[in-house]
Amino acid sequence: MTAGDLLVVEDLRRSFGGVHAVDGASFKVQSGSITGLIGPNGAGKSTALGVIAGALRPDAGRIEFDGRDVTALSPMSLARRGLIRTFQTSSEFPRLTVIENLLVAAQHNPGETLRGALLGGRRSWRAHERQLVERARELIAGFEMSDKEDEWAGNLSGGQKRLLEIMRGLMAEPKLLLLDEPMAGVNPTLSRSIEEHLQRLNRDGLTMLMIEHELRVVERLCDRVVVMAQGKVISEGTMDTLRTEQEVLDAYLVG
Amino acid sequence: MSVAWQFYFSTLLIYLAVDVMAVWGLNLQFGVAGISSFAFIVFQAMGAYTASVLTLGPEQGTSFQHYVGGASLPFPLPVIAAGAAGGLLALLVGLVGIRRLRADYQAMVMLVISLTATYVADNSTHLFNGPAGLSLVPKPLFGGLNLSLVNYQWFYVGLCAVFCALIWWFVRRFTESPLGRAMRAVRDNEHAAAALGKNVFGLRMTAFVAGGVIAGISGAVFVEFLGAWSPGSWLYPETFVFFTAILVGGTGNNIGVAVGALLVPIGFLESTRFLPNVGYPGFVDALQWVAVGVMALIFLWFWPRGVIPERKRRFPQPGEAPRTIGRRLLRSRG
């Protein structure tokens, strides 16, 4: 592993029954990049993401994040190390307001411990909470959703829920954000706006690994692209170089 | 008010206080943390039993009832011990029932535990004295105060109010803190909560045990008043009365569920208790249970957020005065 790699995946394997969903995938995510993970349906992209995020156990292989072996750690410990994922389907906390959805994502909250909640009272966590509220408001304003701050998250539209999920992820101050089709089911205008938000975040130094089907989006956003087919990584590189590779074209045409 | 009416009203108030404490505990488990705690009544019974045996004194050789660990501790030690016992039992049940189980299976395990507990208590005469249970539990401070019976009733109402205030303070420590918010996040979507670094099992267990402590205390306050304990008074349908109270009052809202306790176990069950019986003996009693179940269904279908729904937590804008207790009370939020 070179110094610039935030995530290194080596020979990852995971099967469901007889299906080898991920069958020996290896790739890297460079620090500061937006890396795209593309491939036809059933290529094993979401499974790979699930294994990296700790939601699925790998059958074999090794995952290194931020210089440490994190293979088979739980989603909780991975999140606490700065690896945050979003989900393919809406996964907001519906009976929390928008701003509460963000506040709950903050790490190391003294008010979330039993001691803090029971004994601390005003002094221990209220000041911290005020800072969190301020930070959450800045984030919400950056995504132009300030008027929705006190709305139940469950009442948002599908697109707004995607934005919320990205904001919530950012509130956790991740080192690496895993995005599973962040633009899926979103209208073109909002999709374009999500793109711009992601570019802005990347300029501010956030590393991302994203699954995306729309190749034009990938071309605009991603520095590097990993192509998967049938559980394996068949190519890695920039979109320009990949365009010319016959194997990649075949994978997309054949499915 | 005549003495008879005073007895009646003070007794109702004591029952109300016990039920309010119980629904606050169950609301923490179910309304806040999302655990279908169908064994809730067992924690209350456990607290009640603990308080009984710690008040009754050591078992005498000639005693007509058998129990474990008799002692005569001064009030309020039996109540505190009851809270500890309820919490400890919730810890054990939680380790079996919450860890690694999906929510629907959790519910089944809890229900089975509740049924098993009744059978064990009924049949193990050396532990819990069988179906007869315990009786002649001395009332707290009764001897020392020299009050008339009716005045003692009102004294006990005051005691209940003190316990309610303490439990209110306790549950609000959870529901108004970031800890409670994390619990609500787990309730809404456990996978998303885990993906944000929340300790899902730890948060659930914390709410579950805290609810068990409250259940134990409520059971103790109840049994110290009644002076008797038997397995038959703590059957699983009682859990569903509390659940119905929560659904009717407003899941997740402390004031709402207290109103639910006023409406369902006190308002509904008490007002229908005096209906003349029709049909075979016990027919109207059985119908009461049916009606409670129907009430729960009606609310789930048509009014799922209850009479006083869970409120939104708002955060003061910069420059806005922080909310004082007085302003909060004016807005009467839970």
Side-chain angles (χ1 to χ4, degrees):
Chain A
M1 147 172 190
T2 61
D5 293 329
L6 186 58
L7 181 78
V8 181
V9 176
E10 275 169 21
D11 197 29
L12 201 65
R13 285 165 201 276
R14 167 73 202 215
S15 20
F16 299 101
V19 182
H20 301 288
V22 178
D23 195 15
S26 305
F27 60 90
K28 291 172 182 174
V29 174
Q30 283 178 354
S31 207
S33 72
I34 302 184
T35 302
L37 186 54
I38 65 171
N41 288 325
K45 307 182 296 293
S46 280
T47 305
L49 201 77
V51 173
I52 294 169
L56 297 168
R57 286 187 156 272
D59 298 331
R62 189 180 138 84
I63 303 164
E64 209 171 279
F65 171 63
D66 201 19
R68 287 192 181 167
D69 186 357
V70 296
T71 316
L73 285 186
S74 69
M76 177 185 82
S77 5
L78 285 164
R80 290 180 176 184
R81 283 160 196 255
L83 193 151
I84 298 284
R85 60 98 51 106
T86 68
F87 292 84
Q88 201 172 1
T89 50
S90 295
S91 61
E92 79 287 357
F93 303 119
R95 294 292 289 166
L96 265 59
T97 62
V98 167
I99 191 168
E100 278 188 307
N101 265 267
L102 268 69
L103 294 173
V104 84
Q107 304 293 305
H108 311 296
N109 190 335
E112 270 182 26
T113 62
L114 188 60
R115 170 199 280 267
L118 279 184
L119 307 173
R122 287 168 197 289
R123 281 186 304 284
S124 77
W125 55 262
R126 305 260 165 178
H128 186 260
E129 180 90 345
R130 269 196 296 278
Q131 286 170 8
L132 289 183
V133 168
E134 203 176 306
R135 192 149 72 77
R137 284 209 173 109
E138 276 170 24
L139 261 172
I140 295 172
F143 282 77
E144 286 143 25
M145 277 181 63
S146 292
D147 56 327
K148 298 285 179 200
E149 179 185 309
D150 287 329
E151 184 57 76
W152 294 120
N155 291 350
L156 297 179
S157 73
Q160 290 167 334
K161 285 179 184 172
R162 308 246 68 148
L163 284 178
L164 173 63
E165 210 176 325
I166 295 170
M167 291 191 286
R168 191 174 68 183
L170 294 174
M171 192 71 187
E173 298 186 288
K175 290 177 185 150
L176 173 64
L177 191 60
L178 304 179
L179 298 156
D180 196 350
E181 296 191 42
M183 272 75 119
V186 172
N187 74 56
T189 322
L190 190 56
S191 166
R192 212 45 205 255
S193 137
I194 293 180
E195 260 183 60
E196 282 161 19
H197 286 304
L198 294 180
Q199 271 168 336
R200 173 171 59 90
L201 296 164
N202 181 241
R203 276 198 301 276
D204 295 343
L206 180 65
T207 312
M208 287 175 249
L209 172 65
M210 65 185 286
I211 296 177
E212 181 53 57
H213 275 294
E214 186 57 59
L215 290 183
R216 257 167 302 207
V217 175
V218 175
E219 193 160 22
R220 281 195 297 265
L221 273 181
C222 299
D223 311 304
R224 288 183 66 78
V225 181
V226 176
V227 189
M228 281 184 78
Q230 290 170 345
K232 293 184 170 70
V233 173
I234 56 168
S235 193
E236 255 185 291
T238 64
M239 203 61 202
D240 283 339
T241 57
L242 291 179
R243 245 174 221 300
T244 58
E245 281 184 35
Q246 195 56 42
E247 200 182 359
V248 176
L249 294 175
D250 285 348
Y252 263 88
L253 289 172
V254 177
Chain B
M1 216 169 12
S2 76
V3 170
W5 278 109
Q6 285 198 45
F7 259 104
Y8 181 62
F9 278 119
S10 52
T11 305
L12 268 193
L13 281 173
I14 291 161
Y15 284 12
L16 174 66
V18 169
D19 289 345
V20 164
M21 285 190 267
V23 294
W24 280 339
L26 182 57
N27 185 49
L28 202 53
Q29 297 178 337
F30 171 68
V32 177
I35 306 161
S36 297
S37 174
F38 289 166
F40 184 79
I41 199 71
V42 179
F43 308 137
Q44 208 185 19
M46 182 66 187
Y49 181 81
T50 307
S52 302
V53 296
L54 293 181
T55 312
L56 272 169
E59 194 181 319
Q60 306 295 322
T62 56
S63 179
F64 67 98
Q65 48 192 5
H66 301 284
Y67 45 88
V68 281
S72 44
L73 300 180
F75 186 81
L77 289 183
V79 180
I80 294 167
L88 202 64
L89 188 63
L91 183 72
L92 293 176
V93 170
L95 287 175
V96 179
I98 293 180
R99 186 162 209 147
R100 295 190 182 283
L101 283 184
R102 233 169 54 195
D104 38 3
Y105 289 100
Q106 285 176 13
M108 280 160 61
V109 168
M110 301 284 175
L111 194 54
V112 168
I113 286 172
S114 188
L115 293 168
T116 310
T118 305
Y119 279 109
V120 170
D122 264 341
N123 292 301
S124 60
T125 46
H126 283 279
L127 276 174
F128 305 107
N129 208 37
L134 307 170
S135 54
L136 303 177
V137 181
K139 295 195 174 197
L141 311 174
F142 186 65
L145 284 168
N146 266 328
L147 291 171
S148 69
L149 273 177
V150 69
N151 283 338
Y152 181 81
Q153 290 269 115
W154 290 113
F155 164 75
Y156 207 86
V157 170
L159 247 166
C160 285
V162 171
F163 277 108
C164 277
L166 287 172
I167 301 291
W168 166 256
W169 177 87
F170 184 63
V171 291
R172 300 256 306 173
R173 289 268 127 175
F174 292 92
T175 57
E176 304 309 303
S177 69
L179 180 62
R181 181 169 62 212
M183 287 169 177
R184 287 183 287 126
V186 168
R187 169 197 71 186
D188 280 7
N189 189 333
E190 61 173 295
H191 297 295
L196 290 169
K198 301 299 148 196
N199 183 349
V200 171
F201 177 64
L203 287 164
R204 282 213 177 107
M205 281 302 277
T206 307
F208 198 63
V209 171
V213 169
I214 298 172
I217 291 174
S218 74
V221 172
F222 192 42
V223 83
E224 300 265 291
F225 171 72
L226 281 183
W229 181 94
S230 75
S233 329
W234 312 90
L235 301 179
Y236 75 92
E238 306 283 348
T239 303
F240 291 98
V241 174
F242 291 141
F243 265 96
T244 307
I246 285 178
L247 294 171
V248 168
T251 311
N253 185 314
N254 289 323
I255 290 180
V257 298
V259 169
L262 180 68
L263 292 175
V264 180
I266 303 298
F268 177 74
L269 289 182
E270 188 61 23
S271 62
T272 50
R273 202 159 64 90
F274 302 106
L275 289 178
N277 198 33
V278 288
Y280 60 84
F283 182 64
V284 168
D285 292 349
L287 274 187
Q288 278 189 320
W289 293 117
V290 175
V292 167
V294 169
M295 213 188 300
L297 283 180
I298 287 175
F299 269 81
L300 279 173
W301 272 331
F302 300 111
W303 208 354
R305 282 169 193 176
V307 178
I308 306 179
E310 186 170 26
R311 71 181 173 84
K312 283 180 182 170
R313 273 86 172 164
R314 288 174 206 276
F315 301 87
Q317 294 286 343
E320 193 184 337
R323 281 207 205 90
T324 61
I325 294 283
R327 278 173 64 179
R328 263 198 214 161
L329 283 177
L330 278 177
R331 294 182 185 192
S332 71
R333 287 166 159 180

